Amino acid sequence: MSSNGHQWVYAFRDGDESMRNLLGGKGAGSAEMTTAGMPVPPGFTITTEACLAYFESNESFPEGLQSQIDAALIDIESQTGKNFGSSDNPLLVSVRSGARVSMPGMMDTVLNLGLNTQTMAGLTELTGDERFSKDAYRRFVQGFGSIVLGIDSRAFEAVIEAHKETVQKTEDPELTAEDWETVTAQFKDIIRRESGEVFPDDPREQLARAVQAVFKSWNGKRAIDYRNFHRLPHDWGTACNVQTMVFGNMGERSGTGVAFTRDPNDGNPVLYGEYLLNAQGEDVVAGVRTPQPISTLQNAMPSVYKEFQAYAEKLESHYTEMQDLEFTIEDGKLFMLQTRAGKRSPAAAIRIAVDLVNEGKITKETAVQRVEATQVDAMLHPRIDGTAKISPIAQGLNASPGAASGTVAFTADTAATRAENGDAVILVRPETSPDDFHGMAASQAILTSRGGATSHAAIVARQLGLPAVVGCENLLIDVSAGTFRVDGLEVSDGDVLTVDGSTGNVMLGEVPLIPGEVTPELEQLLEWADDIRRLETWANADTPVEAELARSYGAQGIGLCRTEHMFREGNRLPIVQDMILAETEEERRKSLTRLLPIQRDDFYGILKAMHDLPVVIRLLDPPLHEFLAGVENELADLEARDANAEDLALAQRKVTRANELHEANPMLGLRGCRLGLIYPEIYEMQVRAIIEAALQLKAEGVRARPEIMIPLVSHIAELKTVESGLRETAAAVQRDAGDEIEFKFGTMMEVPRACLTAGEISATAEFLSFGTNDLTQTTFGISRDDAEGRFLLRYVEDGILPENPFQVLDRAGVGALMEIAARAGRTARNDIEIGICGEHGGDPSSIEFCESIGLDYVSASPYRLPVSRIAAAHARLEQGFRDR
Ligand code: PEP
Ligand code: MG
């Protein structure tokens, strides 16, 4: 089919799965089904390369494309015996986009292309059904008008509704051939008015325009939003599939449907889907009419069902993956229109991956690779507490599991704006469309009044891991008034709602939720991930309870125990404040002596909970004035209450001291090891408490493995001075106890200078831990506390930064410093232990980077552990590919 040497067009029978990048997912799937001998209506695919070439040549077809399309049409004509543009047995085609990975609903399908008044007459003659062909033409004009010419589809819907009113009919099937003719004429008027052009009659022109529209839709706002959200490249382009039309709306022996080879909600291995008899194309997916469950097709058309089931099994085995299938039945004959990997809920993704391993179809590595870290994350999301009493105000289809509460928003824009202000939002729509994507992604849950399990809302919610209830038909939504009514109850914009996507229940107000869980399938998958990953997964935990939780989630150590929290709890703050107010070292030591047993208990609890595993304890880090926050109010309160002179004097001293300690840039001020240098007795007390706790545990037969971490070092001299003093303390405590314990001294890498001199530092430090929260602040020179709420998100929105560097590690800057430090550290001390304990330690992309520079562990919140475990396995598998 190549005319100038470059092949832009491939017949379905000439393609295969290996050409997915060129043919897109739909094209490759149609090719595979065709070559497997399944009944696929003949068609061809215009390549993604053609789409890119179209953009490169200023939105015109590259040389050779038009002639290859013409040749491909002749090929279809000879396969079908139909003729494109002829009134005698006319060939009609559908035109669909199809990128490399499926983007549900991103680009719409134009159906019945090739119709005009002459070919329509031919269709009438062929089918003997004038109403059918006039309806077909109406659908084409409507689809072409909205998708290709960009006219708001609501204008067309309004015409249909108005006409129904005029002729006093309520349902589309009641409309006659004449009705459709009138409606179509009005559509054409709208098109002429809105676009300034006459509706094109020439089928070749129609096709060229539709192909261009498919190409352009790659750069439409909704497609770009989707790719941005999923971090997909913008330079793939989309393929375009042109395929012979088959008609699901030729009566009750015809129909159309979609089905998954396994249940996309929970992964149950049963055929799951829906169909509509006497319906065409997108009727099922659009969710406008409520379809029948696929299992009932077994009774309606047993042989078709059997044939379809056999194809479903064959395709799933062929792809060793759950498939999402589209089919049409034309007058009793089954046609397969599409096969692709099915979108699924996180729970289903995990169940299916584990089942496919158990069925011997895929390896454990493939299973781990197929489950995304975000899906594991979604599993850990809340659900409704089983003991809570609930009274649902409505019930719909449980389309995507999980539960959430939030305030009702009726438009995607409102939802997005409110979410930006930190509100939890429930997006309530009659149905959703790709234009709503940004609002859906920003919401906690989705609720629609129309549509089925394969409607846009359901698919997108599952993919985002958001709870969704769809097809809640009792809701009467009035978007413009900002209300919905259900059984006499009115709910307005801003009211609080709880949506349970696992049961389909909708409740007014908040309902108690409990956190997500690690199901047996997830545990199984995580165990496989554990066998694959090299990186250890540790957790940040400050209390024994958190440490136990971390252990139960599979923590292999504590990567960061922040001790400042221990200084604030309960009755400790007054002692800490006394210590800060002390004028002499002796006075300070007195307060510290009171803190010592309390701290020892803290460490005892954590070290015990983490017995046999390493626990990195960071010595006090924040500036001291943080412990005097709010003392002005305290003084004002006492003054207002005429408190006694002694209390007033103490409060006054605190205020004076707080003022003395005030710093213009506290994050760059007297904190971290600088504090340990100026007030060595604080760190001494902490080290004494750690060693004493470990000694006590040892005496009880428990192996404690403390690792003492000195924060915010920038110069080796700081570390050396602090560390040598503390080693003496540790030695003295052990000498006094007449026993020894195992422990390490190390430091954090939070300042560029420390990273650049990590070789020197590692001669003293036995371990390094990247504090990437501070390291990101100090590398960018951006104050996290000030920037995130203000300019940083703008930066990301405007594309100045690809993402928030406090969430996703900046590899080129912060990462480069880490790489330098890790290499120098290992050269200086080959058994040095290196990890990360900043927020990035729980972010999949950052974990991948940590794998690539050979860190020993990543540490993040205990709740992130399942995510870290799977992400570390993904990183290892990726690295394995790279090393090969
Ligand atoms: C860090 O800076 O990355 C870190 C873990 O310390 P903190 O967040 O407590 O400053
Ligand atoms: Mg820090």
Side-chain angles (χ1 to χ4, degrees):
M1 235 174 262
S2 138
S3 59
N4 72 339
H6 200 98
Q7 187 167 355
W8 304 112
V9 174
Y10 288 81
F12 287 165
R13 63 168 183 277
D14 293 335
D16 64 47
E17 183 53 35
S18 70
M19 296 157 77
R20 169 172 287 264
N21 292 355
L22 190 63
L23 303 180
K26 275 191 188 124
S30 299
E32 285 286 321
M33 290 196 293
T34 303
T35 47
M38 293 183 194
V40 178
F44 57 88
T45 304
I46 305 170
T47 64
T48 52
E49 282 178 356
C51 172
L52 299 176
Y54 171 79
F55 287 122
E56 263 162 38
S57 47
N58 253 335
E59 304 203 346
S60 61
F61 278 180
E63 210 188 318
L65 176 56
Q66 186 59 58
S67 58
Q68 290 180 33
I69 290 175
D70 292 341
L73 277 169
I74 292 171
D75 178 42
I76 300 188
E77 285 173 342
S78 72
Q79 287 185 63
T80 58
K82 296 171 190 268
N83 293 309
F84 195 55
S86 153
S87 56
D88 186 20
N89 198 4
L91 170 68
L92 305 183
V93 295
S94 66
V95 180
R96 298 163 173 243
S97 62
R100 189 183 298 195
V101 298
S102 99
M103 304 182 186
M106 286 291 109
M107 293 172 258
D108 296 322
T109 306
V110 180
L111 299 174
N112 305 345
L113 188 140
L115 279 176
N116 55 28
T117 37
Q118 284 93 47
T119 54
M120 183 176 60
L123 190 64
T124 306
E125 203 151 299
L126 200 72
T127 57
D129 187 344
E130 190 185 9
R131 185 196 177 278
F132 167 78
S133 56
K134 294 221 155 129
D135 180 24
Y137 188 42
R138 178 279 297 187
R139 285 170 188 260
F140 169 55
V141 174
Q142 185 173 354
F144 195 91
S146 60
I147 299 165
V148 179
L149 302 176
I151 292 161
D152 189 339
S153 57
R154 283 174 299 189
F156 299 124
E157 291 297 339
V159 168
I160 298 177
E161 290 310 313
H163 186 76
K164 278 195 225 164
E165 215 153 279
T166 312
V167 296
Q168 299 202 336
K169 287 171 184 162
T170 52
E171 301 294 330
D172 287 8
E174 297 170 50
L175 296 184
T176 61
E178 292 71 46
D179 289 328
W180 287 131
E181 192 167 344
T182 314
V183 164
T184 308
Q186 289 181 28
F187 283 178
K188 288 187 173 176
D189 285 345
I190 293 176
I191 289 169
R192 202 172 310 120
R193 218 172 37 240
E194 300 277 319
S195 70
E197 56 179 306
V198 176
F199 192 83
D201 268 344
D202 173 9
R204 282 192 162 67
E205 184 190 342
Q206 293 170 354
L207 180 58
R209 297 281 299 268
V211 172
Q212 290 182 44
V214 165
F215 288 165
K216 279 188 196 155
S217 69
W218 175 257
N219 280 337
K221 181 181 179 309
R222 59 197 197 187
I224 290 174
D225 282 352
Y226 183 90
R227 293 199 296 274
N228 283 340
F229 186 81
H230 291 278
R231 303 209 185 108
L232 296 173
H234 293 293
D235 61 0
W236 282 350
T238 177
C240 175
N241 298 291
V242 179
Q243 185 171 25
T244 310
M245 281 299 307
V246 283
F247 294 94
N249 57 341
M250 283 179 76
E252 291 303 311
R253 281 179 46 74
S254 300
T256 185
V258 294
F260 295 84
T261 55
R262 294 178 194 232
D263 188 330
N265 295 304
D266 58 13
N268 206 11
V270 291
L271 206 52
Y272 176 95
E274 303 165 323
Y275 69 101
L276 274 172
L277 286 184
N278 201 8
Q280 193 182 26
E282 305 290 81
D283 289 351
V284 178
V285 189
V288 178
R289 276 167 62 191
T290 303
Q292 299 296 311
I294 189 89
S295 55
T296 63
L297 185 63
Q298 206 161 355
N299 303 326
M301 294 187 175
S303 66
V304 168
Y305 182 81
K306 221 169 136 203
E307 188 187 352
F308 178 69
Q309 203 178 24
Y311 294 149
E313 271 169 30
K314 192 168 170 187
L315 286 166
E316 188 186 274
S317 300
H318 177 68
Y319 285 103
T320 63
E321 175 59 305
M322 186 264 255
Q323 296 294 296
D324 167 358
L325 308 167
E326 248 180 61
F327 63 93
T328 284
I329 307 159
E330 186 183 79
D331 198 19
K333 176 164 172 40
L334 174 68
F335 288 96
M336 300 297 288
L337 296 187
Q338 177 167 293
T339 185
R340 59 179 171 185
K343 302 282 174 205
R344 62 204 75 182
S345 76
I350 292 159
R351 162 99 192 261
I352 291 169
V354 171
D355 281 355
L356 287 174
V357 173
N358 293 335
E359 291 165 24
K361 293 189 175 138
I362 59 172
T363 63
K364 293 171 185 174
E365 283 77 11
T366 303
V368 166
Q369 216 157 12
R370 279 191 189 167
V371 175
E372 290 168 27
T374 49
Q375 292 173 317
V376 171
D377 191 18
M379 284 296 283
L380 310 169
H381 283 174
R383 62 207 153 91
I384 288 182
D385 184 344
T387 62
K389 261 204 153 153
I390 55 161
S391 16
I393 54 166
Q395 192 175 35
L397 196 67
N398 51 339
S400 178
S405 304
T407 58
V408 174
F410 287 96
T411 68
D413 287 343
T414 317
T417 312
R418 283 217 209 117
E420 246 167 54
N421 295 332
D423 288 357
V425 184
I426 308 288
L427 182 63
V428 181
R429 302 278 302 157
E431 58 200 302
T432 63
S433 77
D435 292 328
D436 295 322
F437 185 82
H438 61 295
M440 300 172 80
S443 298
Q444 302 297 310
I446 317 288
L447 172 62
T448 69
S449 57
R450 280 192 256 161
T454 47
S455 62
H456 179 265
I459 289 177
V460 173
R462 278 200 289 272
Q463 213 184 330
L464 294 174
L466 293 177
V469 173
V470 302
C472 204
E473 288 174 356
N474 287 348
L475 298 194
L476 301 171
I477 303 176
D478 185 341
V479 173
S480 52
T483 59
F484 72 77
R485 301 189 133 272
V486 58
D487 293 338
L489 183 80
E490 187 170 278
V491 177
S492 305
D493 177 277
D495 289 351
V496 175
L497 212 59
T498 299
V499 168
D500 184 353
S502 306
T503 59
N505 286 330
V506 181
M507 277 73 53
L508 198 58
E510 247 176 78
V511 173
L513 304 178
I514 50 170
E517 62 172 345
V518 176
T519 58
E521 287 91 2
L522 176 55
E523 191 50 56
Q524 172 66 82
L525 192 81
L526 291 175
E527 279 169 24
W528 293 337
D530 293 344
D531 292 340
I532 294 167
R533 68 187 161 87
R534 182 196 60 79
L535 272 171
E536 289 197 5
T537 51
W538 298 18
N540 296 353
D542 299 343
T543 64
V545 173
E546 280 177 10
E548 263 157 35
L549 180 76
R551 216 181 164 127
S552 74
Y553 275 135
Q556 294 167 285
I558 297 293
L560 177 63
C561 169
R562 291 180 168 102
T563 53
E564 55 267 27
H565 297 168
M566 301 170 182
F567 278 41
R568 290 198 185 95
E569 263 165 43
N571 56 0
R572 300 159 186 213
L573 192 60
I575 312 177
V576 172
Q577 289 182 337
D578 268 356
M579 185 266 291
I580 296 170
L581 292 178
E583 310 226 331
T584 64
E585 186 186 321
E586 203 188 328
E587 271 183 47
R588 225 173 359 258
R589 283 190 184 276
K590 264 196 205 146
S591 307
L592 289 167
T593 309
R594 287 167 64 204
L595 275 177
L596 175 68
I598 306 177
Q599 276 266 273
R600 192 169 50 220
D601 282 354
D602 291 333
F603 297 135
Y604 175 88
I606 290 173
L607 290 168
K608 188 170 180 179
M610 296 304 292
H611 60 89
D612 301 314
L613 295 175
V615 177
V616 177
I617 299 169
R618 178 177 74 187
L619 302 180
L620 196 65
D621 180 52
L624 289 183
H625 66 78
E626 281 196 8
F627 299 99
L628 294 172
V631 290
E632 267 105 356
N633 292 344
E634 196 181 309
L635 177 61
D637 262 12
L638 289 172
E639 282 171 347
R641 282 195 279 119
D642 268 343
N644 67 48
E646 201 181 322
D647 288 351
L648 276 171
L650 177 61
Q652 183 59 60
R653 267 179 66 210
K654 288 185 193 171
V655 172
T656 309
R657 187 78 177 116
N659 288 336
E660 282 167 14
L661 290 171
H662 173 80
E663 292 173 308
N665 291 311
M667 280 303 105
L668 301 176
L670 182 57
R671 56 171 285 222
C673 66
R674 302 161 196 171
L675 203 60
L677 275 161
I678 304 297
Y679 305 111
E681 51 282 1
I682 301 178
Y683 280 10
E684 268 172 39
M685 180 278 288
Q686 291 196 291
V687 168
R688 175 174 285 278
I690 294 167
I691 304 288
E692 286 182 356
L695 282 164
Q696 191 181 336
L697 283 164
K698 186 177 176 192
E700 293 168 16
V702 177
R703 183 180 175 210
R705 294 175 56 190
E707 303 195 354
I708 302 165
M709 182 154 77
I710 298 163
L712 211 77
V713 163
S714 56
H715 196 288
I716 177 61
E718 292 174 316
L719 179 64
K720 268 192 177 156
T721 312
V722 174
E723 192 249 13
S724 64
L726 295 177
R727 270 206 190 272
E728 274 171 31
T729 304
V733 176
Q734 293 176 98
R735 226 177 10 253
D736 292 349
D739 199 358
E740 284 187 349
I741 53 134
E742 51 180 321
F743 66 93
K744 284 181 181 170
F745 268 107
T747 186
M748 292 184 84
M749 295 275 113
E750 296 176 285
V751 182
R753 195 183 187 288
C755 293
L756 297 171
T757 58
E760 273 179 347
I761 286 176
S762 302
T764 300
E766 292 167 292
F767 67 88
L768 304 177
S769 174
F770 289 103
T772 45
N773 303 333
D774 270 309
L775 189 58
T776 302
Q777 292 204 98
T778 53
T779 301
F780 275 86
I782 285 178
S783 151
R784 175 181 194 171
D785 298 328
D786 298 311
E788 268 191 320
R790 299 188 190 152
F791 62 90
L792 205 51
L793 294 181
R794 262 292 291 284
Y795 263 39
V796 178
E797 259 174 47
D798 294 351
I800 293 167
L801 289 177
E803 31 229 336
N804 177 350
F806 290 104
Q807 282 171 356
V808 179
L809 193 91
D810 157 52
R811 297 188 187 195
V814 178
L817 287 166
M818 290 170 70
E819 198 168 357
I820 291 169
R823 194 172 310 127
R826 294 214 189 286
T827 309
R829 183 191 287 271
N830 60 17
D831 66 344
I832 195 164
E833 166 194 291
I834 311 181
I836 177 174
C837 66
E839 291 296 308
H840 306 87
D843 165 64
S845 152
S846 312
I847 291 173
E848 185 186 274
F849 179 75
C850 294
E851 168 67 40
S852 76
I853 61 166
L855 296 197
D856 296 309
Y857 68 85
V858 293
S859 187
S861 143
Y863 295 104
R864 297 289 299 173
L865 271 165
V867 175
S868 306
R869 287 163 71 187
I870 196 106
H874 289 166
R876 186 68 202 140
L877 289 168
E878 272 292 307
Q879 190 64 33
F881 284 130
R882 240 174 273 136
D883 291 348
R884 230 180 269 159

